[in-house]
């Protein structure tokens, strides 16, 4: 090998060695950068998790654990594998937990889309017992408020019944927590309840620093009207927004629903009368106004003097719903405080 060839070989070796060294350095830097990014991401994820935990721990879900346990106990320590629901409110709770259902109620109200193809089994007050029996459910879940009438139909048919309280906001939350325990979906239940509690807290700010009115709730149709207290969906919204329900606080009635008589309406003299009407709400409101005028009480009552007989939107208030509650809160606050 001549001198020039030797020089070329030496130069080639130097270049190759330098390239390898640079490659190793680049690979080392790449690993360091990747590790730094992963560590940073982990730190960020941990911080977010800690913040989420802190945020959740600061929110009071307002659950009565004794009542939650009473609901759980109805299931007898078993997790149903085939469930039929008899109300829209209960069906929404199952949907929030991502649970399958074998049967859902026949209703004019909108059910969650997840159950579009699920068998309809009749209305809550008139379930199709034959159809339910064909489904062979191990739990028929009905509202506690109609237990007396439903039990007379379901239990003689040998169908296993469970009754959930779902009339007021607090009852909806307790039933949600109970179902989470029964179906091993506590994490989903807590997440849903925490999200709702945060939205509820925001809604309640709408009444801060404002003078609370007295309210009377009327519920029913042209043929029959009832007074209802704060243990109902609309009533519980108004109570949490600070309003005073005259059925409890003036008339001193403890029943959730009380037949209306005009003497009670005049005696209570509420600032606002709120109507949750079946059927044609305008016809119900007109009939009520006519009855008040015939009684001679129109000029005596503050609600009529101030044009405060208000028909509530049945889509918002007709059925107890955690899903609709945030919008119902805003609507109720605007009614109570003229916002």
């Amino acid at each position: 090998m001549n001198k020039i060839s030797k020089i070329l070989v030496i130069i080639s070796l130097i270049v190759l060695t330098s390239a390898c060294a640079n490659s190793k350095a680049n690979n080392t830097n790449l690993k360091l950068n990747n590790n730094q990014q992963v560590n940073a991401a982990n730190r960020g994820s941990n911080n977010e998790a800690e913040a989420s935990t802190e945020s959740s721990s600061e929110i009071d879900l307002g659950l009565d654990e004794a009542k939650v346990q009473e609901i759980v106990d109805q299931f007898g320590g078993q997790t149903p594998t085939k469930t039929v629901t008899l109300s829209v409110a209960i069906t929404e709770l199952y949907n929030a937990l991502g649970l399958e259902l074998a049967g859902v109620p026949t209703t004019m109200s909108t059910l969650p889309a997840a159950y579009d193809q699920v068998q309809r089994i009749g209305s809550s007050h008139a379930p199709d017992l034959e159809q339910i029996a064909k489904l062979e459910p191990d739990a028929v879940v009905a509202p506690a408020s109609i237990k007396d009438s439903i039990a007379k139909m379901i239990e003689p048919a040998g169908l296993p019944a469970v009754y959930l309280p779902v009339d007021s906001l607090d009852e909806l939350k307790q039933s949600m927590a109970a179902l989470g325990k029964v179906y091993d979906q506590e994490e989903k239940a807590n997440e849903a309840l925490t999200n709702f509690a945060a939205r509820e807290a925001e809604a309640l700010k709408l009444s801060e620093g404002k003078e609370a009115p007295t309210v009377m709730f009327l519920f029913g149709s042209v043929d029959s009207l009832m007074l209802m207290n704060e243990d109902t969906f609309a009533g519980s919204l108004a109570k949490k927004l600070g309003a005073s329900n005259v059925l409890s606080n003036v008339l001193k009635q403890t029943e959730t629903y009380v037949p209306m008589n005009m003497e009670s309406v005049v005696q209570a003299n509420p600032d606002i009368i709120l109507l949750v009407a079946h059927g044609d709400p305008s016809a119900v409101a007109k009939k009520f106004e006519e009855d008040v005028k015939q009684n001679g009480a129109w000029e005596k009552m503050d609600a009529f003097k101030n044009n405060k007989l208000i028909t509530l939107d049945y889509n918002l208030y007709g059925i107890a719903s955690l899903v609709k509650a945030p919008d119902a809160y805003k609507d109720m606050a605007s009614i109570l405080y003229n916002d």
Side-chain angles (χ1 to χ4, degrees):
M1 182 180 291
N2 58 35
K3 188 178 292 186
I4 294 174
S5 297
K6 287 181 181 180
I7 291 171
L8 290 174
V9 168
I10 291 170
I11 292 172
S12 297
L13 288 173
I14 291 171
V15 170
L16 183 61
T17 302
S18 175
C20 289
N22 287 337
S23 177
K24 288 180 181 179
N26 288 337
N27 286 338
T28 300
N29 288 336
L30 181 60
K31 288 179 181 178
L32 285 172
N33 288 336
N34 285 341
N35 287 336
Q36 289 168 350
Q37 290 173 4
V38 169
N39 289 337
N42 286 337
R43 284 195 301 272
S45 177
N46 290 337
N47 289 339
E48 288 175 7
E50 288 172 6
S52 176
T53 301
E54 288 176 5
S55 176
S56 297
S57 64
E58 291 172 1
I59 296 176
D60 180 10
L61 300 183
L63 295 174
D64 185 327
E65 293 297 342
K67 291 183 179 179
V68 171
Q69 191 57 47
E70 285 178 13
I71 300 168
V72 172
D73 290 343
Q74 289 190 66
F75 289 86
Q78 303 298 314
T79 300
T81 57
K82 253 189 176 181
T83 304
V84 167
T85 58
L86 290 185
S87 85
V88 176
I90 292 172
T91 305
E92 285 187 349
L93 295 181
Y94 273 80
N95 181 64
L97 298 178
L99 298 170
E100 294 183 1
L101 290 170
V104 294
T106 305
T107 176
M108 296 296 291
S109 300
T110 303
L111 291 174
Y115 305 123
D116 282 350
Q117 304 305 314
V118 174
Q119 179 66 51
R120 265 50 178 174
I121 47 77
S123 69
S124 57
H125 288 84
D128 185 338
L129 300 180
E130 183 178 352
Q131 183 59 60
I132 294 174
K134 287 179 182 178
L135 296 173
E136 299 181 343
D138 43 15
V140 178
V141 188
S145 59
I146 57 173
K147 177 179 178 179
D148 290 344
S149 60
I150 289 295
K152 293 175 183 177
M153 293 183 277
I154 291 181
E155 292 174 10
L159 296 167
V162 174
Y163 302 97
L164 298 190
V166 288
D167 280 355
S168 69
L169 281 175
D170 286 342
E171 288 180 342
L172 285 169
K173 291 189 283 187
Q174 287 155 14
S175 290
M176 167 78 83
L179 290 176
K181 291 177 181 291
V182 170
Y183 289 89
D184 195 25
Q185 295 292 336
E186 288 185 79
E187 186 175 340
K188 277 189 178 180
N190 287 335
E191 181 181 355
L193 290 170
T194 299
N195 288 340
F196 175 77
R199 297 183 71 183
E200 183 179 52
E202 283 298 311
L204 294 180
K205 291 178 182 178
L206 298 171
S207 63
E208 287 180 357
K210 297 177 181 178
E211 185 177 354
T214 59
V215 296
M216 173 179 283
F217 283 94
L218 299 177
F219 176 80
S221 64
V222 172
D223 299 322
S224 175
L225 279 175
M226 309 280 284
L227 305 183
M228 61 185 193
N229 72 6
E230 59 270 18
D231 294 329
T232 58
F233 181 60
S236 62
L237 288 165
K239 179 181 179 180
K240 288 179 180 291
L241 286 166
S244 173
N245 191 305
V246 295
L247 181 59
S248 301
N249 300 325
V250 178
L251 302 177
K252 305 300 181 184
Q253 296 288 330
T254 58
E255 296 295 319
T256 303
Y257 294 93
V258 174
M260 188 204 79
N261 66 73
M262 198 53 63
E263 288 72 22
S264 295
V265 174
V266 175
Q267 177 189 346
N269 192 23
D271 297 321
I272 304 171
I273 297 175
L274 301 175
L275 174 65
V276 182
H278 288 303
D280 182 355
S282 61
V284 179
K286 183 178 179 181
K287 174 67 166 57
F288 178 70
E289 288 182 0
E290 289 173 353
D291 290 346
V292 174
K293 287 178 179 178
Q294 287 176 4
N295 184 270
W298 187 273
E299 295 82 6
K300 302 175 187 177
M301 296 184 62
D302 292 338
F304 291 108
K305 290 178 186 175
N306 300 317
N307 195 31
K308 287 295 185 178
L309 169 61
I310 299 170
T311 301
L312 297 178
D313 182 353
Y314 194 83
N315 290 324
L316 272 183
Y317 301 98
I319 296 172
S321 171
L322 284 180
V323 174
K324 295 179 180 178
D327 288 336
Y329 259 131
K330 293 176 185 177
D331 184 68
M332 181 66 75
S334 69
I335 291 170
L336 297 178
Y337 300 105
N338 296 314
D339 290 341

